[in-house]
């Protein structure tokens, strides 16, 4: 059931649209761009525990720090875990950022075309057509086990809680 919810950007109101997902829900499938022509879906990560880190734009300080942090954690979690960062940045910008930052353990996927991830995961910011900072942890059967959708875009997620949620599944 789609709905609108309030959040903030530097204290100013913004609106999130889409369903409110919670632990126990089946994760909606998605089609995100790896590049301009290739796409990715949940099926590409079948059988793996998934940490989906959602950022508004990889070119901002908190988004940069969030993605770097999960890239560092990725090597400690083993081969049965995949970390995906989703943003509405163009795939070109994501690839440029990864190369400059040396990020090589996180899959960056783009929601730029239709914001379908944001709409189906309930994190699309209506006014900006960006996705709200959030974390989703999915078990190997794509059941959601952990959700954090930030109320203020500029705040950091609870990294430890997200990593603990992943570790509880491996």
């Amino acid at each position: 059931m789609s709905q609108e919810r309030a959040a903030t950007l530097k204290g100013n109101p913004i609106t999130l649209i889409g369903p409110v997902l919670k632990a126990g829900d089946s994760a909606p499938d998605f089609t995100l761009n790896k590049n301009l022509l290739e796409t990715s879906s949940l099926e590409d990560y079948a059988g793996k525990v998934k940490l989906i880190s959602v950022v508004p734009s990889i070119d901002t300080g908190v988004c940069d720090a969030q993605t770097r942090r999960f890239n560092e954690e990725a090597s400690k979690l083993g081969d049965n875990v995949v970390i995906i960062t989703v943003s509405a940045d163009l795939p070109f910008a994501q690839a440029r950022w990864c190369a400059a930052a040396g990020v090589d353990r996180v899959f960056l996927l783009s929601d730029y075309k239709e914001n379908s991830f944001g709409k189906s995961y309930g994190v699309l910011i209506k006014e900006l057509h960006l996705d709200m900072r959030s974390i989703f942890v999915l078990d190997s059967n794509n059941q959601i086990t952990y959700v954090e959708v930030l109320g203020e875009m500029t705040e950091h997620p609870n990294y430890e809680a997200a990593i603990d949620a992943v570790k509880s599944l491996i």
Side-chain angles (χ1 to χ4, degrees):
M1 178 172 160
S2 188
Q3 61 182 28
E4 293 189 358
R5 298 171 320 287
T8 58
L9 167 58
K10 297 183 179 179
N12 297 305
I14 55 176
T15 309
L16 304 183
I17 57 176
V20 177
L21 299 178
K22 58 191 181 315
D25 289 344
S26 290
D29 198 4
F30 54 73
T31 301
L32 293 166
N33 283 75
K34 294 180 187 179
N35 55 46
L36 287 183
L37 301 176
E38 292 180 275
T39 60
S40 184
S41 70
L42 273 178
E43 185 178 307
D44 295 332
Y45 310 101
K48 297 198 181 273
V49 171
K50 291 158 277 297
L51 186 152
I52 303 175
S53 171
V54 184
V55 299
S57 175
I58 199 66
D59 286 317
T60 65
V62 177
C63 300
D64 178 293
Q66 181 173 330
T67 306
R68 287 176 190 264
R69 171 71 184 269
F70 286 127
N71 187 64
E72 288 173 19
E73 296 289 345
S75 63
K76 304 172 195 170
L77 296 172
D79 294 338
N80 195 40
V81 175
V82 63
I83 299 179
I84 301 164
T85 293
V86 174
S87 77
D89 294 300
L90 289 171
F92 303 119
Q94 291 177 333
R96 174 194 42 76
W97 183 88
C98 281
V103 167
D104 57 359
R105 294 182 211 106
V106 172
F107 295 94
L108 263 73
L109 301 176
S110 177
D111 196 23
Y112 85 98
K113 274 191 178 174
E114 297 173 18
N115 298 121
S116 60
F117 180 92
K119 290 174 189 171
S120 63
Y121 278 72
V123 296
L124 179 64
I125 302 168
K126 182 178 181 178
E127 298 83 356
L128 304 175
H129 293 276
L130 298 174
D131 294 333
M132 185 64 168
R133 185 176 320 287
S134 49
I135 306 290
F136 298 90
V137 175
L138 284 54
D139 69 13
S140 59
N141 297 311
N142 295 331
Q143 183 163 3
I144 299 171
T145 63
Y146 176 86
V147 175
E148 181 185 12
V149 178
L150 278 335
E152 165 56 48
M153 184 194 287
T154 60
E155 293 178 356
H156 286 268
N158 186 334
Y159 299 109
E160 291 76 21
I163 295 301
D164 287 347
V166 169
K167 287 179 178 176
S168 74
L169 298 170
I170 55 178

